[in-house]
Amino acid sequence: MHGVVMWYLVLFSVVLLHSARGQISYSIPEEMAKGSIVGNVAQDLGLDLQRLRSGKARIYTGDSTEYIGLNKDTGFLLIKEKMDRESLCAKTIPCALHLQLILENPMELYTITVEITDINDNPPTFQKQLIEFEISESAVTGARFMLERAVDADVGVNDLQSYSLKPTDNFILELHSQADGDKNVEIILQRPLDREKKGVVTLLLTAFDGGDPQLSGTVQIHVTVLDINDNAPVFTQKVYKAILTENALKGSKLTTVSATDVDEGSNGHVTYYIASTEDIVRNMFIIDHGEVTLNGLVDFEKASHSQIDIQAKDQGGLSDSCKLIIDVLDINDNKPVISLRAPYSQNTLVSQSRMGTVQREKKEQEVDDLTLEVRPCLMF
């Protein structure tokens, strides 16, 4: 019973396009199964079945492949090989097979045309699985970028009809119809790109046909955002502090300062400089890759603290600055000195006698400056 139902479904899918004396046309969908009925040529041409048998009726195609055959006992044209319209005709419309029905005794010739109509058996496809672009983050709004078009082997309404793009945060889709019916596909930048926020933008382009059910194909679009020098280095601190003992050895490390630049490549490469204008500071300290080291000797008695201005620059000339405050710790590297001075002392003895005044010899005691050296006492 199921086979009978299918036979009737196939029978009604065949359309008799035209019938005239000596010629007949049919229309069938592609991909019909072997054994499917195309039409009844005996009935449609007004031929007796006996005539088909006695006339040794046969179908001539002129092709090496016989897609359609004749059953002389029933007069039905039958599918002998499944037909793919795309393989037979590509985009040509209409797609048809031109057959001849030949009878002998007497010789008779009838023309049969079988049009093969399209079914929606091919989705739109893209030649590549991935479309890649490199776009600078300096690209201006409105910049256009051509995309690869999808291809659909079907024709008519089953052919490619439309596209969609997701997401549309930075780009929108625009189609341009061509004279040949194809559509050029472009994405248009509608919001500026920022590599520091998103270095790669991933889009999904989908192509749709107009068949029922509708078929579609997709391709991913990867947009690599190229960097420009739009970010300056930034120090992690605006003020750094370090402690240094006086008479520390040359080459002693004070601290490491750090600045980051979110740009990439040469735009993000940071170089550090001592920016202080005083020569004594510039000569006393050096900086290499952010590491500050001592390049001389410091003396607490001369300066108990120092301040260094440091600058970080990228390759594009953008910069930031910070300060390094250095406190110098005193060490016991000086001996105490005490100076004492005693004044002159005079003792004058005067003795007076009755004979007159006799001045005794003046005795003078002079105490020289005494320098007392005081040494620290160690308590154990």
Side-chain angles (χ1 to χ4, degrees):
M1 179 63 69
H2 178 73
V4 174
V5 173
M6 288 301 296
W7 184 87
Y8 277 108
L9 289 175
V10 171
L11 181 61
F12 284 107
S13 69
V14 178
V15 178
L16 178 62
L17 292 180
H18 175 74
S19 178
R21 186 172 180 83
Q23 63 182 26
I24 192 171
S25 297
Y26 297 99
S27 178
I28 63 171
E30 63 174 325
E31 305 293 346
M32 289 181 69
K34 290 182 179 181
S36 299
I37 297 174
V38 176
N40 191 326
V41 291
Q43 176 181 314
D44 296 333
L45 290 173
L47 298 174
D48 187 81
L49 293 179
Q50 181 60 36
R51 174 64 178 127
L52 294 180
R53 289 190 289 268
S54 64
K56 299 180 181 179
R58 65 184 184 274
I59 297 295
Y60 174 75
T61 62
D63 196 344
S64 59
T65 303
E66 294 185 2
Y67 292 102
I68 296 176
L70 173 65
N71 186 326
K72 292 187 293 241
D73 295 327
T74 62
F76 287 121
L77 290 177
L78 303 175
I79 300 294
K80 294 183 67 176
E81 293 290 339
K82 184 182 290 188
M83 290 175 284
D84 179 50
R85 191 208 62 81
E86 289 74 41
S87 298
L88 290 172
C89 302
K91 287 287 187 177
T92 301
I93 302 175
C95 178
L97 294 178
H98 300 284
L99 314 176
Q100 290 180 331
L101 174 62
I102 301 175
L103 298 173
E104 298 178 0
N105 301 319
M107 179 70 70
E108 293 182 82
L109 184 65
Y110 299 92
T111 300
I112 302 172
T113 301
V114 180
E115 181 182 354
I116 304 166
T117 61
D118 185 52
I119 65 172
N120 194 28
D121 58 342
N122 294 282
T125 58
F126 292 90
Q127 291 184 352
K128 298 179 181 178
Q129 294 182 342
L130 179 66
I131 299 175
E132 295 182 287
F133 286 100
E134 290 185 343
I135 302 176
S136 172
E137 61 179 330
S138 64
V140 297
T141 301
R144 295 172 175 267
F145 305 91
M146 184 73 71
L147 300 179
E148 173 194 327
R149 294 182 294 184
V151 176
D152 194 325
D154 294 323
V155 294
V157 69
N158 297 324
D159 198 356
L160 175 66
Q161 300 294 322
S162 61
Y163 293 88
S164 73
L165 181 71
K166 292 181 180 180
T168 55
D169 298 335
N170 295 100
F171 296 91
I172 59 173
L173 190 67
E174 191 169 294
L175 307 180
H176 300 280
S177 296
Q178 304 300 302
D180 59 3
D182 288 333
K183 294 181 175 64
N184 283 340
V185 188
E186 292 180 324
I187 53 173
I188 302 174
L189 185 65
Q190 65 171 354
R191 292 187 183 90
L193 299 169
D194 188 341
R195 191 205 62 82
E196 288 71 43
K197 292 182 178 179
K198 201 167 188 178
V200 176
V201 177
T202 301
L203 309 172
L204 185 67
L205 179 65
T206 305
F208 300 94
D209 65 21
D212 185 16
Q214 189 177 57
L215 302 179
S216 64
T218 61
V219 64
Q220 278 197 342
I221 303 171
H222 283 188
V223 177
T224 300
V225 184
L226 301 180
D227 185 52
I228 62 170
N229 193 34
D230 56 344
N231 293 278
V234 178
F235 277 102
T236 55
Q237 299 173 216
K238 296 304 290 183
V239 177
Y240 292 82
K241 292 185 179 181
I243 297 175
L244 182 65
T245 303
E246 70 171 327
N247 294 334
L249 296 176
K250 181 179 179 180
S252 298
K253 176 181 175 180
L254 278 73
T255 189
T256 298
V257 299
S258 177
T260 57
D261 192 321
V262 294
D263 291 324
E264 66 177 358
S266 61
N267 293 329
H269 181 72
V270 177
T271 305
Y272 299 89
Y273 302 90
I274 299 292
S276 300
T277 57
E278 297 84 356
D279 289 340
I280 188 172
V281 175
R282 296 171 65 89
N283 296 330
M284 184 69 68
F285 305 97
I286 59 176
I287 187 169
D288 183 27
H289 293 90
E291 185 177 284
V292 182
T293 56
L294 183 63
N295 194 42
L297 295 176
V298 294
D299 190 343
F300 173 84
E301 284 70 37
K302 293 182 179 179
S304 60
H305 70 273
S306 298
Q307 177 176 297
I308 306 174
D309 294 323
I310 299 174
Q311 190 174 49
K313 288 184 180 181
D314 64 20
Q315 297 296 305
L318 302 181
S319 65
D320 191 22
S321 61
C322 72
K323 295 183 183 298
L324 172 59
I325 297 175
I326 303 169
D327 290 325
V328 181
L329 295 181
D330 184 35
I331 63 172
N332 194 22
D333 59 343
N334 293 285
K335 299 175 181 179
V337 176
I338 300 176
S339 296
L340 299 177
R341 180 178 293 275
Y344 286 105
S345 176
Q346 288 185 336
N347 291 320
T348 304
L349 299 177
V350 179
S351 175
Q352 296 181 350
S353 65
R354 295 180 203 159
M355 296 299 297
T357 301
V358 178
Q359 186 175 9
R360 300 182 61 181
E361 181 182 358
K362 181 173 64 177
K363 185 177 182 180
E364 180 182 70
Q365 180 181 0
E366 180 178 314
V367 179
D368 296 332
D369 291 340
L370 298 178
T371 301
L372 302 180
E373 184 177 285
V374 180
R375 286 183 172 84
C377 295
L378 302 177
M379 302 298 293
F380 294 92

